[in-house]
Amino acid sequence: MRFILSVISCMAFAANLFATAPPVKPLTAADLDFFEKKVRPILAERCYSCHSQQSKKLKGHLLLDSAEGWLKGGDTGPAMVAGDPDKSLLIEAVRYENPDTEMPPKGKLAENEIELLVRWVRMGAPAPHLEVSPATVAKKMDVEAGRRHWAYQPIRQQIVPEVKDAAWPRNEIDRFILSSLESKGLHPAVDAEPVALFRRVYFDLIGMPPTPEQIEAYANDSAPNRYERWVDRLLASPQFGERFGRHWLDVARFGESLTLRGFVLQDAWRYRDYVIESFNRDRPFDHFMQEQIAGDLMPAESIVEKRRQLIGTAFLAIGNTNLEEQNKKQLEMDVVDEQIDTMGRAFLGQTIGCARCHDHKFDPIPTADYYALAGILHSTQTLEHSNVSKWLDMPLPMEATLEAPLKKHETAIAVLEEKVKQAKAAQAKAGKSGGNGEGDVPVARLPGIVIDDPQAKRVGVWKESRTVHPFIGTGYLTDDGNRVENKTLTFMPDIPESGKYEVRFAYTAGSNRASNVPVTVFSADGDETIAIDERKIPPLDGHFISLGQHTFEKNGQGFVIVSNQGVDGHVIADAVQFIPVETLTSLGIAAAPVGDAARPITAPNPVKQLEAELKKLVDSGPTRETIISVRESRKIGDEPIHIRGSVHTLGESTARGFLRVIAMKSAPAISPTESGRLELAKWLASPENPLPARVAANRVWHWLTGSGIVRTTDNFGTTGESPSHPELLDHLARQLIEHHWSIKTLARQIVLSRTYQLSTTADAKAISVDPENRLMTHMNRRRLDAECIRDAMLSVSGQLTAAAGGKTFNKDLKSDFGFAQNDRRRSVYLPIFRNALPELFEAFDFADPSVSNGRRNVSTVAPQALFMLNHPFVIEQSKYAARRLLDGTDGGE
């Protein structure tokens, strides 16, 4: 009954929630990303020439370069009904359902383009909230005017303001906050209760709840600096990197598989561990930033440092890519676009990707600047192309003690790989030749004396053949299955020196061959007949079988006779080889077993044999560690502007470079022989670049308070929100730079501020004047994120394991589809498979791992309550926790 009432309560709550919700759902980063990457390029290339503000002659009074335009529509009414493709005129037109409205008139869109438009309309036709109108277009900023926007201004040294209530602030952050409150006639809320603050700082700094013992120890600590000492403990904990590292993995759109076919990125976990370690070691953020753009090009003082830098550059390669795209130029530019977009949002707070098809509609980023950056990243190789392209698994350097045996093993592999390559080429050539002998074994390449079949003395009718490959010389002879006539072949060598020779007989195997071919060797030792089973593949290189070692005299009468007498199938004779024993010894070749040591006909061909040997060799030795990453391209050069984003319509070439809106006295110069990624990394970290420090400082504030000083954490452009406390933001950015880009130092300053330590309860006046708490009259009330919910449950139930780092899925896993998560370590170590996220993650607003996301959605919906009531994982952890409470055990069976 209680369960039923709980469900009814949840449903009633959800009904009320949805009844009062606005009719249009808020746009997400994924929504806008889909529009900018998938939809706008189609509209720009196929529609804007007739239906945009820039059209020389606007057709049908319909604008498709703004939400305002397509919702208002043209002469025939609104172009679409958001959410309903079947009622949208735009979809009717592109589907060619009505002969009178077929668009574009010059030819129907490709089916995949139509499907993208249908999907977009079904999503509600999301687009940037700032609409494009004639007035907006007229006011579009050029680069010089854009430099007046607050985000592109240099970071200024801010004077810490004086405040009336001088006793309230605990540090400089508080003075900026209190000054703003006092100017509005507001007062900060009371301080949070000690235990509430203690739990808050635990979750914020390490993502875990304090244990009852830790809470008790804190409560009993009477030292005046107890909070500060506990903060320092948490900052020094390895769990700090796990918490802050997970925040960054959202921004880096970290994933360990691709949506396409569920391909698994076997070594992407190294990037996750690199991020966690970087935050734990408090590696300077400017250096952390550079490693992710050009770590492979940076100088290193040790192998450990070089490994770290190479792993950091995986940042550029872990995006979700459609490797099946057959237009490889398009695929390369899609990858470049994804890299530019992610880099722009992550480090600069800029939506640079919007400038792929046209000058940015709202920010001072012309298309030329986009392609200046694109030239850098297009001069960087991210994929190996094939029918389905492949990411790059780059080798990692090893310590000297491991490097020598590894290189020896790699050399042996390389030699065998070359043999496989040659064997495949020979096989393919033989197949293409239609059996003319090209690509088979030339007599001249074989040691000793080789008597090929054309030189044999024939008795009876023998047929020349080239059907079965490979063979010696130009072909082989067959008796054609005629066993009535007694036929023989005599192979008589011209022996240059008397001595012992190993005699080898060559034939091509087949299921219709004789199993008892009599081959007789006549030598100075006498005569010896060996029965050959030609249904089995010859054991020596797939060509020969040994007839033993025999003595032959110079100018003597030694020879070999092949007969068809008494055989049970076709007789094949290809060649006979006489190899001096001394030659075998000098070549290091042991005497071969005689006669019936041939392999069954079902055995693999020479290529497969070599491939099997190669696999065995690879599996038997040490393996070099790899990381998905990038490298300098073989083709370095500037990129032409792609008209409307099309790889098929190219304009003027644009010199590789950076965003011109960032005014610098001396931007790094790009070498004509290098991609420019190293210079791009230096440009990002330059003290003259005001964006990265502001963006990073704002992110830390957002991670600790739940709302950034700039709430649009990934967008500092004109369509993003302005900072609530611009002076404080610059102060924090300067503090970050002056303290050597230390994230821990900045986090410490924030959590030690009185602002951070406020209660979540606000008074009526504050709620009236500042309903969204932009002025920080109190601390934001926040729901735990998905990872904290899961980790807290495992911690309380006693089931959380302490294992950290490394690969957390089977190395043989090929696809993520249907992958079942059952690990009990911290959530940051769960595989982030794009087709198989844990259900708890999906229920509680985990970030889309395909899109750079600095601010997660926070929803309150009925499925969350139902998940907590009914999901087996929750029920299981509840039982373990109950056992611990009842009998004091660790929760095990």
Side-chain angles (χ1 to χ4, degrees):
M1 177 61 73
R2 278 187 296 177
F3 168 74
I4 295 173
L5 290 174
S6 297
V7 173
I8 293 172
S9 175
C10 291
M11 293 174 66
F13 167 75
N16 182 63
L17 175 69
F18 297 142
T20 58
V24 180
K25 73 180 183 73
L27 294 178
T28 66
D31 290 336
L32 294 178
D33 192 65
F34 183 82
F35 174 75
E36 293 296 349
K37 292 186 175 182
K38 305 295 185 183
V39 178
R40 197 195 288 274
I42 298 173
L43 297 176
E45 183 174 358
R46 304 300 299 273
C47 307
Y48 281 5
S49 60
C50 299
H51 300 288
S52 71
Q53 295 290 342
Q54 286 75 40
S55 300
K56 293 181 179 179
K57 184 176 181 182
L58 184 64
K59 301 292 181 67
H61 298 95
L62 173 62
L63 291 170
L64 292 178
D65 56 353
S66 70
E68 178 185 39
W70 61 65
L71 291 176
K72 180 181 177 182
D75 295 341
T76 57
M80 71 179 68
V81 177
D84 194 338
D86 294 333
K87 293 182 180 178
S88 299
L89 292 177
L90 174 68
I91 302 304
E92 176 188 292
V94 297
R95 283 174 170 168
Y96 275 40
E97 293 178 342
N98 184 339
D100 296 328
T101 61
E102 291 178 352
M103 292 291 167
K106 293 182 180 179
K108 188 178 179 181
L109 297 177
E111 287 303 318
N112 67 310
E113 293 177 318
I114 295 173
E115 181 53 39
L116 285 171
L117 292 176
V118 169
R119 181 179 166 191
W120 172 59
V121 174
R122 189 176 291 121
M123 291 165 61
H129 70 271
L130 187 59
E131 297 169 345
V132 181
S133 64
T136 306
V137 173
K139 294 178 182 178
K140 185 171 67 176
M141 290 186 292
D142 59 25
V143 170
E144 192 58 43
R147 289 174 179 156
R148 294 194 288 272
H149 180 63
W150 68 267
Y152 310 124
Q153 293 288 306
I155 299 172
R156 295 181 175 83
Q157 181 71 53
Q158 299 295 328
I159 298 173
V160 180
E162 296 293 330
V163 292
K164 297 175 184 177
D165 187 358
W168 186 83
R170 290 183 182 147
N171 63 17
E172 294 176 340
I173 291 173
D174 294 330
R175 292 185 178 277
F176 283 100
I177 295 295
L178 184 59
S179 174
S180 183
L181 292 178
E182 289 179 342
S183 70
K184 302 291 184 181
L186 299 175
H187 301 281
V190 299
D191 293 344
E193 290 293 326
V195 172
L197 175 61
F198 194 58
R199 284 178 57 80
R200 177 190 300 168
V201 77
Y202 255 79
F203 276 116
D204 284 344
L205 290 184
I206 67 171
M208 295 286 292
T211 65
E213 294 77 17
Q214 290 166 336
I215 293 174
E216 184 177 2
Y218 182 74
N220 294 333
D221 189 345
S222 58
N225 66 339
R226 65 171 182 174
Y227 175 72
E228 183 176 343
R229 284 190 293 105
W230 279 91
V231 164
D232 288 338
R233 248 181 245 175
L234 295 175
L235 289 169
S237 166
Q239 293 176 315
F240 172 81
E242 293 171 340
R243 177 61 171 164
F244 269 52
R246 182 57 258 179
H247 288 316
W248 182 256
L249 293 175
D250 280 7
V251 177
R253 55 41 174 129
F254 173 72
E256 295 179 75
S257 68
L258 303 181
T259 302
L260 173 70
R261 301 191 189 182
F263 288 140
V264 174
L265 306 177
Q266 292 287 342
D267 296 316
W269 62 268
R270 297 188 196 277
Y271 176 78
R272 176 204 64 210
D273 286 0
Y274 155 84
V275 169
I276 292 171
E277 186 220 17
S278 294
F279 279 102
N280 272 333
R281 292 183 177 273
D282 201 21
R283 193 158 287 120
F285 191 81
D286 61 336
H287 200 76
F288 176 66
M289 196 163 41
Q290 292 179 74
E291 286 179 343
Q292 294 177 80
I293 298 299
D296 58 318
L297 305 177
M298 295 171 66
E301 296 181 357
S302 67
I303 289 177
V304 172
E305 184 179 16
K306 175 52 67 177
R307 282 174 61 92
R308 187 186 72 240
Q309 291 171 173
L310 286 170
I311 293 170
T313 315
F315 170 86
L316 290 174
I318 55 177
N320 198 8
T321 305
N322 177 19
L323 301 177
E324 283 188 325
E325 170 64 63
Q326 294 304 300
N327 184 336
K328 300 307 177 182
K329 290 183 179 180
Q330 180 69 43
L331 174 57
E332 287 179 4
M333 287 310 298
D334 286 347
V335 169
V336 166
D337 181 69
E338 196 275 342
Q339 291 169 336
I340 289 175
D341 188 66
T342 301
M343 178 194 68
R345 295 175 190 272
F347 301 121
L348 300 168
Q350 299 292 297
T351 56
I352 304 173
C354 297
R356 180 180 185 178
C357 304
H358 47 72
D359 289 348
H360 201 296
K361 292 289 185 181
F362 315 114
D363 292 336
I365 305 175
T367 304
D369 282 12
Y370 174 94
Y371 286 98
L373 292 170
I376 294 173
L377 292 168
H378 204 194
S379 296
T380 301
Q381 184 182 0
T382 306
L383 300 174
E384 291 275 8
H385 289 315
S386 185
N387 179 46
V388 177
S389 296
K390 181 73 169 62
W391 57 88
L392 301 180
D393 287 321
M394 301 298 292
L396 290 171
M398 311 287 280
E399 295 291 347
T401 54
L402 299 174
E403 189 68 37
L406 188 57
K407 280 190 174 179
K408 183 178 179 181
H409 185 62
E410 288 175 340
T411 300
I413 290 174
V415 169
L416 197 49
E417 284 177 336
E418 182 59 29
K419 288 184 178 179
V420 171
K421 181 180 177 181
Q422 291 177 358
K424 284 183 176 179
Q427 194 175 67
K429 200 170 183 181
K432 289 179 181 178
S433 70
N436 64 4
E438 293 181 16
D440 289 291
V441 183
V443 172
R445 289 188 186 176
L446 298 172
I449 304 163
V450 180
I451 310 301
D452 200 8
D453 58 279
Q455 299 168 270
K457 181 181 178 181
R458 308 179 193 184
V459 174
V461 178
W462 292 82
K463 179 182 177 182
E464 296 178 356
S465 180
R466 299 182 181 88
T467 303
V468 180
H469 294 266
F471 46 72
I472 307 301
T474 59
Y476 56 88
L477 297 175
T478 172
D479 70 342
D480 205 21
N482 182 353
R483 277 167 274 172
V484 176
E485 181 184 3
N486 191 11
K487 304 178 182 182
T488 61
L489 291 171
T490 302
F491 294 83
M492 184 173 291
D494 183 8
I495 299 296
E497 296 291 339
S498 299
K500 278 236 179 238
Y501 289 76
E502 178 161 307
V503 183
R504 297 179 173 186
F505 172 61
Y507 63 92
T508 62
S511 58
N512 65 345
R513 307 309 199 228
S515 66
N516 56 346
V517 177
V519 181
T520 304
V521 179
F522 292 86
S523 69
D525 301 325
D527 59 272
E528 180 180 357
T529 299
I530 300 98
I532 305 300
D533 185 352
E534 293 191 344
R535 296 173 186 174
K536 295 179 179 180
I537 292 177
L540 304 176
D541 299 325
H543 302 298
F544 290 95
I545 189 167
S546 176
L547 303 178
Q549 293 186 359
H550 304 269
T551 303
F552 291 88
E553 296 179 353
K554 183 178 180 180
N555 301 321
Q557 295 298 310
F559 53 88
V560 173
I561 291 181
V562 180
S563 171
N564 76 334
Q565 189 172 2
V567 298
D568 56 7
H570 289 265
V571 175
I572 304 296
D574 189 356
V576 177
Q577 183 181 28
F578 301 80
I579 308 176
V581 171
E582 294 82 359
T583 301
L584 289 175
T585 303
S586 66
L587 293 173
I589 301 173
V594 179
D596 62 358
R599 290 161 291 188
I601 192 65
T602 55
N605 62 31
V607 171
K608 290 184 178 179
Q609 292 176 41
L610 288 170
E611 288 177 333
E613 290 178 34
L614 178 61
K615 183 179 185 305
K616 184 177 179 181
L617 180 63
V618 169
D619 294 342
S620 67
T623 303
R624 184 178 293 279
E625 296 173 342
T626 60
I627 180 64
I628 177 174
S629 193
V630 301
R631 63 186 170 211
E632 293 288 86
S633 176
R634 288 185 287 271
K635 182 180 179 182
I636 302 291
D638 297 332
E639 192 70 21
I641 291 175
H642 293 41
I643 308 300
R644 293 176 179 165
S646 172
V647 296
H648 306 294
T649 311
L650 304 180
E652 294 182 2
S653 183
T654 303
R656 282 166 289 152
F658 320 109
L659 299 185
R660 285 173 287 168
V661 72
I662 307 299
M664 286 189 181
K665 295 178 182 176
S666 56
I670 296 176
S671 166
T673 60
E674 297 174 349
S675 67
R677 270 190 300 121
L678 185 59
E679 290 73 21
L680 174 59
K682 292 176 180 178
W683 176 81
L684 285 170
S686 170
E688 295 183 61
N689 191 336
L691 286 173
R694 280 195 181 111
V695 171
N698 186 66
R699 290 197 191 282
V700 177
W701 184 271
H702 167 75
W703 294 339
L704 292 171
T705 69
S707 180
I709 296 172
V710 179
R711 289 194 293 186
T712 52
T713 55
D714 306 321
N715 186 359
F716 278 34
T718 62
T719 60
E721 290 195 12
S722 297
S724 59
H725 300 80
E727 296 83 7
L728 173 60
L729 180 60
D730 272 15
H731 174 77
L732 295 177
R734 286 194 67 87
Q735 288 288 298
L736 179 62
I737 295 171
E738 290 172 4
H739 287 89
H740 309 291
W741 293 81
S742 167
I743 296 296
K744 281 190 178 182
T745 299
L746 183 60
R748 187 177 190 273
Q749 290 175 348
I750 293 171
V751 299
L752 291 182
S753 71
R754 193 163 187 178
T755 302
Y756 176 84
Q757 299 173 48
L758 291 175
S759 164
T760 57
T761 304
D763 60 34
K765 183 177 181 182
I767 293 174
S768 174
V769 174
D770 184 24
E772 295 184 327
N773 196 31
R774 299 297 291 126
L775 299 177
M776 292 295 292
T777 59
H778 57 283
M779 178 50 71
N780 295 304
R781 186 183 297 274
R782 288 173 283 159
R783 192 201 71 203
L784 294 180
D785 58 29
E787 296 94 324
C788 286
I789 293 172
R790 179 181 176 277
D791 293 350
M793 282 194 283
L794 288 171
S795 176
V796 171
S797 70
Q799 297 299 297
L800 186 68
T801 61
K807 179 177 286 190
T808 53
F809 56 88
N810 191 298
K811 68 177 182 179
D812 297 323
L813 185 68
K814 301 300 182 186
S815 171
D816 69 356
F817 289 111
F819 181 82
Q821 304 274 7
N822 57 9
D823 207 310
R824 291 294 182 262
R825 67 183 73 194
R826 286 201 66 174
S827 298
V828 70
Y829 296 115
L830 294 184
I832 302 303
F833 289 148
R834 290 175 168 127
N835 294 309
L837 289 175
E839 292 176 329
L840 187 148
F841 283 16
E842 293 185 327
F844 289 95
D845 304 309
F846 186 78
D848 181 351
S850 297
V851 182
S852 177
N853 197 330
R855 183 181 65 171
R856 291 187 184 181
N857 295 328
V858 180
S859 65
T860 304
V861 292
Q864 293 166 349
L866 295 173
F867 183 95
M868 298 300 286
L869 279 169
N870 302 319
H871 197 277
F873 174 78
V874 179
I875 294 171
E876 179 187 42
Q877 301 315 309
S878 299
K879 289 178 179 178
Y880 283 129
R883 272 184 210 152
R884 295 186 77 197
L885 287 172
L886 291 172
D887 57 28
T889 68
D890 64 358
E893 291 291 345

